Amino acid sequence: MSAPTTRNVSEREARQVAEAAREQDWRKPSFAKELFLGRFRLDLIHPHPSPATEGVRRGEAFLAALRTFCETRIDGARIEREGQIPDETVNGLKELGALGMKIDTKYGGLGLTQVYYNKALALVASASPAVGALLSAHQSIGVPQPVKVFGSQEQKNAFLPRCARTDISAFLLTEPDVGSDPARLATTAVPDGDGYLLDGVKLWTTNGVIADLLVVMARVPASEGHRGGITAFVVETATPGITVEHRNAFMGLRGLENGVTRFHRVRIPAAHRIGPEGAGLKIALTTLNTGRLSLPAMCVGSGKWALKIAREWSAVREQWGRPIAAHEAVGAKISFIAATTFALEAVVDLSSQMADENRNDIRIEAALAKLYGSEMGWRIADELVQIRGGRGFETADSLAARGERAVPAEQLLRDMRINRIFEGSTEIMHLLIAREAVDAHLSVAGDLIDPEKSLGEKGRAAADAGRFYARWLPRLVTGSGQLPHAYQEFGTLAGHLRYVERSCRKLARATFYAMSRWQGRMETKQGFLGRIVDIGAELFAMSAACVRAEHLRLTGDHGREAYRLADAFCRQARIRADELFARLWTNTDALDRKVVSGVLDGAYRWLEEGVVDPSGEGPWIADATPGPSTHQNVHRPVRRPGSEAS
């Protein structure tokens, strides 16, 4: 078998491709960016922004209809059992308008705000995470969002009405040997007359098995009249040469319509190209700025359900003469679930409302929400299984078969696990956020640590850096967090905000010290960078929780209870943040690198003895050589009501 077809690129080229795709400018303020720079800009998020009245009316009306649909027409147990979403459920979502939640009403959509779109996803995902994933992939990263932001008017007229009511879309970037390193993208779109010929293989194509429209990222070779580069295209799945070769199966999200798609000389009209050639990655990253909020929104839904089950179960299950909730070991887990769910909802709602208002740049906030939501959501699911004990490990069908309530706690754990990988793994999110967090430093001092810059360029960078740090560093010494009466309008939460203010300055000082110490090697210190980002995530979540609690107090909506939850969350978060601060400089990173080197060199192969390997035979990475497909096409068009099965 031939080796997988991939492009060999240098580390520097890979970084250049990723850097070119970044949004380079900061035209709007960013709370999270300022936080990493040691500036606690509470004014950017407080008072908590509020949605417009019309947006609330429209959103609440749809949520009411959607709740009825979820309760009567989504059978989560059936989807889990059969491993696919029934056609009647998909068609019902179309009739409801759920495919067009974020699409403007002039194109036949519902025109919901980001806030209510996320509330809808949380609701749907509580009924079936697979249905939530279908709707999210279709609207957050599929055809509607990139066409809405970057498409021509002709493309909007052609595709948005279809996506709003009838057609399901998917986003295709990943390849068998290309994940978070798009510089190695091997799928090509070669100019041919008034169009392009598309060749390649795409992996993990969520919705791809049933999609009608695809957003495909492909590399256009540079040639006369063609700038080339990674480019985005809208592709009709009915086009000859497209084969869905395999429907993937996973540990969770068993109804996910995710597969492997091969393109062989697929003709794409030039009119289906989104934006100019070479803009594909920038389009993808910009789409994800708000698209990433859908995943933590569904984590919020999971947290709410986990809290309900933990409350009900812990009140009736007794051990040693008392309900298990009365035992501190279990009570601590329930407190964590309640406080963290409150904070996750605060983070998602705040970020979503800022996205709707479009006054702030939320690229870091959305990335932090995705990172924090997926990590804490997984912990919530794990704690729920522990609270349920043996019943948490038992399947819902087994529980029901022996006469007990069918609580799918183990399914929640399986379904939630992918969130730490979806739309950027935790490790990639650490690097992405860290890059944005140090952007101000690289802007003024980047040439100083770039080995390819001349002495003259380094001299000019040194002068710029000197002026910047002469103004910036003194501001990190003292701040309002050291004043005993600062933020007193927040009552019992004021101390937590003072902690955030002090800690963000401490975080900025640590980042500066690390850059001074490691300079060009900073990007290799991924353990350090990950902790920096995780501290920032805790501080952002604490800020959002306090602001939300105060907002609820002022509106008279469970204010006292919200304050208690915010207080509990902040106390828990402060312990985690303090531990992360300590591990910035006291850790096993250097030793870990030596152990890893030994593992890869085979020095510890003796440790692997005494077991058998149940893995099957075959290559680690499947062959993705371009060419015609030799597989049966497993694309499964959703049958519309009244149509006959093909």
Side-chain angles (χ1 to χ4, degrees):
M1 179 178 288
S2 60
T5 300
T6 53
R7 298 179 71 249
N8 294 319
V9 298
S10 67
E11 183 179 354
R12 181 172 181 81
E13 182 182 351
R15 286 200 306 270
Q16 288 174 335
V17 169
E19 187 66 19
R22 282 184 61 250
E23 289 185 67
Q24 304 292 328
D25 300 323
W26 294 86
R27 298 184 181 89
K28 299 174 184 175
S30 165
F31 173 80
K33 175 177 178 286
E34 294 295 311
L35 195 72
F36 281 108
L37 283 171
R39 299 190 284 249
F40 183 43
R41 290 288 307 280
L42 186 61
D43 61 295
L44 293 177
I45 61 172
H46 174 68
H48 193 291
S50 298
T53 302
E54 174 58 22
V56 172
R57 185 199 63 76
R58 184 182 299 167
E60 291 293 339
F62 178 71
L63 286 182
L66 183 62
R67 172 174 289 278
T68 300
F69 183 89
C70 290
E71 292 173 342
T72 59
R73 299 183 64 183
I74 295 181
D75 187 343
R78 176 187 174 186
I79 293 171
E80 175 74 3
R81 188 168 52 250
E82 297 180 356
Q84 70 178 38
I85 303 170
D87 288 354
E88 58 265 30
T89 300
V90 178
N91 286 321
L93 291 168
K94 294 178 181 181
E95 295 166 6
L96 193 63
L99 294 189
M101 286 186 282
K102 286 191 70 181
I103 297 176
D104 195 289
T105 54
K106 66 183 178 182
Y107 299 110
L110 299 181
L112 297 188
T113 63
Q114 185 73 39
V115 168
Y116 276 96
Y117 170 65
N118 286 338
K119 288 181 182 295
L121 288 179
L123 176 60
V124 169
S126 67
S128 168
V131 177
L134 182 149
L135 292 175
S136 172
H138 166 68
Q139 291 171 88
S140 297
I141 58 176
V143 170
Q145 190 66 14
V147 167
K148 170 186 172 182
V149 179
F150 295 98
S152 66
Q153 189 58 53
E154 290 75 17
Q155 289 171 337
K156 293 174 183 178
N157 293 339
F159 299 122
L160 292 184
R162 292 170 58 183
C163 290
R165 291 291 176 179
T166 59
D167 289 15
I168 296 170
S169 69
F171 174 79
L172 279 61
L173 171 63
T174 305
E175 299 176 359
D177 198 27
V178 179
S180 299
D181 183 8
R184 301 171 64 241
L185 200 74
T187 297
T188 59
V190 179
D192 181 68
D194 60 351
Y196 299 83
L197 290 179
L198 183 65
D199 284 276
V201 177
K202 294 294 185 179
L203 176 63
W204 296 325
T205 60
T206 299
N207 287 359
V209 177
I210 61 173
D212 305 286
L213 293 170
L214 312 171
V215 173
V216 181
M217 295 293 166
R219 183 179 301 281
V220 176
S223 61
E224 184 177 352
H226 292 275
R227 171 190 172 186
I230 298 174
T231 306
F233 299 91
V234 177
V235 180
E236 303 264 7
T237 55
T239 308
I242 299 178
T243 306
V244 178
E245 296 188 332
H246 180 70
R247 184 186 189 276
N248 301 320
F250 302 100
M251 96 184 322
L253 291 183
R254 290 180 175 171
L256 197 68
E257 300 290 354
N258 180 296
V260 177
T261 301
R262 178 179 292 271
F263 301 94
H264 176 58
R265 297 186 66 79
V266 175
R267 183 158 188 83
I268 312 170
H272 284 203
R273 187 188 70 222
I274 308 175
E277 291 181 357
L281 283 184
K282 186 177 289 291
I283 289 172
L285 289 178
T286 303
T287 297
L288 283 172
N289 279 347
T290 54
R292 282 197 175 98
L293 291 174
S294 62
L295 192 150
M298 290 186 281
C299 291
V300 169
S302 297
K304 288 173 176 287
W305 179 77
L307 179 61
K308 177 180 185 294
I309 297 301
R311 172 179 57 81
E312 294 176 348
W313 167 247
S314 299
V316 300
R317 173 63 166 166
E318 290 190 357
Q319 292 280 275
W320 298 296
R322 291 192 296 169
I324 60 172
H327 294 281
E328 194 172 87
V330 176
K333 298 179 186 301
I334 297 173
S335 174
F336 167 79
I337 292 173
T340 305
T341 298
F342 175 82
L344 290 185
E345 186 169 40
V347 166
V348 173
D349 274 8
L350 178 63
S351 301
S352 301
Q353 188 57 47
M354 289 195 293
D356 285 331
E357 292 187 347
N358 201 27
R359 289 190 293 109
N360 294 339
D361 187 322
I362 66 158
R363 73 182 87 161
I364 301 182
E365 286 84 348
L368 286 172
K370 188 276 173 188
L371 168 69
Y372 200 70
S374 60
E375 289 294 324
M376 302 307 275
W378 164 254
R379 286 187 56 184
I380 287 173
D382 186 55
E383 294 290 29
L384 176 65
V385 168
Q386 193 70 16
I387 291 171
R388 287 276 290 161
R391 291 172 174 83
F393 193 67
E394 190 173 359
T395 67
D397 281 349
S398 178
L399 289 165
R402 60 182 184 79
E404 291 194 3
R405 183 173 299 185
V407 179
E410 61 84 27
Q411 181 189 337
L412 178 70
L413 194 67
R414 289 187 287 103
D415 289 341
M416 290 290 283
R417 186 57 182 85
I418 188 57
N419 293 334
R420 298 174 64 207
I421 301 170
F422 258 170
E423 296 180 19
S425 68
T426 291
E427 293 72 24
I428 292 300
M429 296 306 297
H430 277 152
L431 299 181
L432 184 152
I433 297 168
R435 172 62 187 87
E436 300 295 353
V438 301
D439 184 55
H441 300 284
L442 294 180
S443 296
V444 299
D447 288 354
L448 277 173
I449 59 177
D450 189 336
E452 297 193 5
K453 295 299 181 181
S454 67
L455 287 177
E457 290 171 315
K458 288 179 181 292
R460 287 190 292 274
D464 291 340
R467 287 189 292 270
F468 174 79
Y469 290 119
R471 297 190 304 270
W472 179 69
L473 285 171
R475 299 174 183 172
L476 301 182
V477 178
T478 61
S480 54
Q482 293 163 289
L483 302 176
H485 300 297
Y487 313 114
Q488 60 183 354
E489 68 270 27
F490 284 84
T492 56
L493 301 179
H496 299 312
L497 293 178
R498 290 195 292 270
Y499 173 88
V500 173
E501 196 280 334
R502 294 193 304 272
S503 296
C504 78
R505 286 187 285 111
K506 182 179 179 180
L507 186 64
R509 292 194 300 268
T511 304
F512 173 74
Y513 173 70
M515 291 192 67
S516 302
R517 175 181 176 181
W518 292 314
Q519 298 185 28
R521 293 182 294 130
M522 179 78 160
E523 65 181 23
T524 69
K525 305 298 181 180
Q526 295 178 3
F528 178 89
L529 292 172
R531 294 176 199 113
I532 287 287
V533 170
D534 285 340
I535 293 169
E538 295 286 4
L539 300 182
F540 176 44
M542 289 176 66
S543 304
C546 291
V547 168
R548 180 176 179 82
E550 174 63 6
H551 175 69
L552 293 178
R553 184 188 71 82
L554 292 175
T555 59
D557 191 8
H558 307 295
R560 178 179 299 178
E561 295 84 0
Y563 255 60
R564 185 179 301 121
L565 287 170
D567 183 39
F569 172 77
C570 288
R571 290 179 186 275
Q572 295 166 10
R574 287 172 71 159
I575 293 172
R576 292 191 294 266
D578 286 342
E579 289 176 350
L580 288 165
F581 270 121
R583 289 172 54 207
L584 286 178
W585 312 112
T586 304
N587 52 64
T588 62
D589 291 352
L591 179 58
D592 292 343
R593 287 192 293 271
K594 293 178 181 178
V595 172
V596 170
S597 179
V599 169
L600 296 181
D601 290 343
Y604 310 120
R605 290 188 66 174
W606 53 269
L607 191 59
E608 302 167 11
E609 296 173 1
V611 299
V612 295
D613 183 358
S615 307
E617 298 295 324
W620 287 102
I621 299 171
D623 181 24
T625 303
S629 179
T630 59
H631 295 71
Q632 178 183 356
N633 190 357
V634 297
H635 181 256
R636 181 177 68 86
V638 175
R639 296 195 306 274
R640 292 175 170 80
S643 66
E644 297 296 326
S646 56

